[in-house]
Amino acid sequence: DAGVIQSPRHEVTEMGQEVTLRCKPISGHNSLFWYRQTMMRGLELLIYFNNNVPIDDSGMPEDRFSAKMPNASFSTLKIQPSEPRDSAVYFCASSPDSSGNTIYFGEGSWLTVV
Amino acid sequence: QKEVEQDPGPLSVPEGAIVSLNCTYSNSAFQYFMWYRQYSRKGPELLMYTYSSGNKEDGRFTAQVDKSSKYISLFIRDSQPSDSATYLCAMKDTNAGKSTFGDGTTLTVKP
């Protein structure tokens, strides 16, 4: 079975540009998570969805960040405008149920904003 | 103070050694405890998942939870070079879908 699929795997962009990260969760999973990982702050939850509905977006750093899940098989995380401090690895993860006790991560999108 | 504290290491051991990785936490509402392994430039991978206090064993891995001390451990027996990775603990309460992660301990097992 395919795991969580993220794209792009690597992105280098200039400050001020819009960045869109994409995620396809594991088929049949009904919870989806977006995490950000940096050396300074570790792994931080940005937002999670259950049955395509955002449940908790308290981790979204500011209004420049937005996430959508238009259907059960696709989600996006958008940063507009991007800033150098947004440079990080962004992980999408999915879980087979709403408990979130077992989470399956994608391989991450490595973002560098210059 | 962070809700979940984890010694970042790095920890270096010889092949075959028993490894002990630990986390402490402050939130007494945490009921579910997980350990993830993350290889370099990869996403975290779920290793072990336990509920409440007690031990759980899976092959060479044993997870231990002591809720009274707010302390969890992961033991790796007969460690192998392929165990070299960063190990993250994570925990959650019963009502939230989100997990709180430790910062990870980097382990190197030398042949």
Side-chain angles (χ1 to χ4, degrees):
Chain A
D1 285 341
V4 175
I5 298 172
Q6 294 186 243
S7 65
R9 289 295 316 279
H10 300 271
E11 174 136 354
V12 180
T13 192
E14 290 186 347
M15 183 173 64
Q17 295 299 304
E18 178 179 291
V19 174
T20 299
L21 308 178
R22 298 173 177 81
C23 176
K24 177 179 169 55
I26 294 172
S27 178
H29 284 196
N30 60 16
S31 292
L32 183 139
F33 306 80
W34 282 101
Y35 282 89
R36 178 173 68 178
Q37 188 174 42
T38 61
M39 290 291 291
M40 291 295 294
R41 301 174 66 91
L43 196 60
E44 303 173 279
L45 178 68
L46 300 177
I47 185 171
Y48 82 94
F49 296 82
N50 184 241
N51 292 323
N52 312 338
V53 176
I55 302 300
D56 186 344
D57 65 355
S58 60
M60 295 287 263
E62 48 198 272
D63 291 346
R64 297 184 298 107
F65 285 69
S66 62
K68 293 182 179 180
M69 191 165 186
N71 57 61
S73 59
F74 184 67
S75 178
T76 59
L77 177 68
K78 188 173 293 187
I79 309 171
Q80 167 62 22
S82 58
E83 297 182 3
R85 60 192 169 119
D86 302 329
S87 298
V89 186
Y90 291 82
F91 287 105
C92 178
S94 68
S95 181
D97 55 44
S98 60
S99 72
N101 293 339
T102 53
I103 302 174
Y104 298 83
F105 284 80
E107 297 215 320
S109 291
W110 298 72
L111 174 65
T112 301
V113 183
V114 298
Chain B
Q1 185 182 2
K2 292 184 176 180
E3 272 192 306
V4 178
E5 298 279 358
Q6 186 173 8
D7 185 340
L11 183 62
S12 181
V13 301
E15 184 175 353
I18 296 175
V19 177
S20 172
L21 305 165
N22 312 294
C23 287
T24 59
Y25 62 94
S26 57
N27 187 346
S28 58
F30 287 144
Q31 297 278 357
Y32 295 88
F33 304 92
M34 288 72 71
W35 285 96
Y36 288 81
R37 176 176 63 196
Q38 185 175 20
Y39 290 116
S40 180
R41 303 188 71 80
K42 296 289 188 180
E45 168 195 14
L46 181 66
L47 271 180
M48 303 278 289
Y49 152 57
T50 55
Y51 169 70
S52 194
S53 286
N55 294 357
K56 184 173 183 178
E57 188 172 320
D58 184 0
R60 296 185 295 111
F61 298 89
T62 299
Q64 197 171 79
V65 174
D66 181 350
K67 289 189 66 183
S68 62
S69 301
K70 296 189 179 68
Y71 188 88
I72 70 170
S73 300
L74 178 71
F75 297 96
I76 307 174
R77 291 183 300 280
D78 187 25
S79 56
Q80 302 295 309
S82 59
D83 295 326
S84 298
T86 296
Y87 290 80
L88 301 108
C89 64
M91 40 199 87
K92 61 187 290 296
D93 64 30
T94 57
N95 297 320
K98 62 179 181 180
S99 298
T100 301
F101 281 79
D103 287 342
T105 299
T106 300
L107 170 69
T108 300
V109 181
K110 296 184 176 179

